[in-house]
Amino acid sequence: MTTMDPTLPHNSISAGTEDTHVVRSYAEQIATNETFKLDYDIDRASGRMLMANASAVDRRAVVDISWLAASAEAYCISADIKDYVIAEVPIVEGDVPNRNMHAFLTSRLVEFLPKFGVQAYKTFVGKPVFYEHQHDDNSKAKGVILDASMRQVGGRMYTTILKAFDRTKDRHLAEDVLSGKRRGHSMSAWTANFDCAACTHRWDTSYPAACECVKGPLHARAQGRYYGMGTILPGRRLVYAAPHQFYFFESSSVGDPANYGAFQTQQTTPAT
């Protein structure tokens, strides 16, 4: 998704890569999901979630949910972790363009953002969860994002998030997520500008400021030749955009994700 943020220098949203010129097949990306497996438990005495990762890391990582009650009022969701269905989602694959031809560079995902006091991928944490990007009103949130991490799987870097769906807010959606009936996910982010992967031109997200790779030279447009995102220029240069100075502001349950790899790998309910 792309949109505008008045607090940023130029304003907008999306996803990115710099030196990867091959978009992976649907089957290959789905197969990657099999490497992501988590089990969950809840340490209710301390108010924290314990995440046992049995595949990527042989350790137990603590996920702080002490702020959940505070977010409940803002998003009109439950303050009790036991009301949630939790899904793990590899939401962003670093350095690979999605179907919108936006690619988030791994180097930028791990970049520290002084404005937020965290690395860019961590801006997912505490953000609302929606249905099909209906994010015009925070009170419509279906849940909240509990955690975000960067993981290397098969030589590629992924931003993986834990999404909590409130069963008291939308029981049908939560049950569909839990059963695996609804597995697709997507995200939204604000970005100040884009970099063209083919020529490195940076523009402020407005179409007139884009490079000829995206818009096409005047003579080509006059002849009806197609240029733009997703085309391959001489030298096997794929045209796509890499967001620069971005942060994430929501993730949604969707039926048709732009990133074919953004399907939940496991879902559960907190231990009782």
Side-chain angles (χ1 to χ4, degrees), residues 65-132:
I65 57 171
S66 60
W67 49 266
L68 179 61
S71 71
E73 182 175 355
Y75 298 145
C76 297
I77 56 178
S78 173
D80 189 346
I81 189 64
K82 296 189 298 298
D83 288 331
Y84 288 87
V85 167
I86 300 165
E88 180 195 36
V89 182
I91 195 69
V92 175
E93 182 177 0
D95 304 323
V96 174
N98 59 25
R99 289 192 300 161
N100 296 329
M101 300 314 297
H102 296 146
F104 290 101
L105 305 184
T106 298
S107 61
R108 294 176 183 175
L109 285 165
V110 299
E111 183 179 3
F112 187 80
L113 305 180
K115 178 179 178 180
F116 300 96
V118 295
Q119 292 167 285
Y121 77 91
K122 280 287 189 180
T123 59
F124 270 117
V125 179
K127 298 304 193 301
V129 169
F130 290 98
Y131 174 82
E132 295 289 353

Side-chain angles (χ1 to χ4, degrees), residues 236-258:
R236 301 184 67 182
R237 293 174 298 151
L238 178 65
V239 179
Y240 60 91
H244 177 249
Q245 294 184 330
F246 58 84
Y247 64 91
F248 302 102
F249 69 86
E250 67 97 13
S251 179
S252 288
S253 168
V254 297
D256 187 22

Side-chain angles (χ1 to χ4, degrees), residues 135-150:
H135 53 66
D136 57 309
D137 181 354
N138 281 337
S139 68
K140 296 179 181 179
K142 307 297 186 180
V144 67
I145 301 171
L146 300 177
D147 190 43
S149 61
M150 291 291 294

Side-chain angles (χ1 to χ4, degrees), residues 1-4 12-14 102 189 191 194 205:
M1 274 192 77
T2 304
T3 199
M4 311 288 281
S12 184
I13 140 174
S14 264
H102 296 146
T191 186
F194 292 103
T205 75

Side-chain angles (χ1 to χ4, degrees), residues 177-194:
V177 169
L178 181 61
S179 67
K181 179 179 179 180
R182 192 171 179 87
R183 299 179 59 239
H185 298 265
S186 184
M187 61 79 198
S188 298
W190 295 104
T191 186
N193 39 48
F194 292 103

